[in-house]
């Protein structure tokens, strides 16, 4: 990636600190997308959103779901 913007260089720790529930990174490790928990009537809808986020990315992408944040949302 030539001249990546600062957002693409954000570390996983920074993403997690900012409260995101999941992130997607390209094969070079650059941040491509993040996912926030969406409060819905049922927790299953939130879990479906995470499943959709994971399945939206091609196999060469890395998706991290922060399980500690997810557990807090499901409690």
């Amino acid at each position: 990636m030539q001249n990546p913007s600062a957002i693409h260089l954000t570390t996983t720790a920074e993403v997690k600190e900012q409260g995101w529930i999941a992130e997607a990174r390209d094969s070079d490790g650059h941040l491509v997308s993040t996912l926030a928990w969406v409060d819905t009537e049922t927790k299953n809808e939130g879990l479906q959103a995470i499943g959709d986020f994971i399945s939206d990315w091609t196999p060469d992408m890395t998706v991290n779901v922060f399980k500690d944040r997810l557990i807090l949302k499901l409690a």
Side-chain angles (χ1 to χ4, degrees):
M1 177 182 288
Q2 293 183 353
N3 300 321
S5 67
I7 188 69
H8 298 300
L9 301 176
T10 303
T11 67
T12 296
E14 291 171 322
V15 170
K16 196 173 177 181
E17 283 178 25
Q18 293 171 7
W20 299 102
I21 196 118
E23 68 175 6
R25 292 185 177 272
D26 66 15
S27 59
D28 292 328
H30 298 116
L31 183 64
V32 176
S33 183
T34 54
L35 178 71
W37 182 262
V38 178
D39 286 322
T40 58
E41 288 187 30
T42 67
K43 292 178 181 173
N44 285 339
E45 291 175 43
L47 291 173
Q48 179 65 44
I50 292 171
D52 292 343
F53 182 78
I54 293 168
S55 66
D56 283 346
W57 298 104
T58 60
D60 61 333
M61 295 284 189
T62 301
V63 177
N64 296 311
V65 177
F66 308 123
K67 65 181 179 181
D68 53 337
R69 294 219 172 265
L70 180 58
I71 289 168
L72 289 174
K73 296 295 184 181
L74 295 176

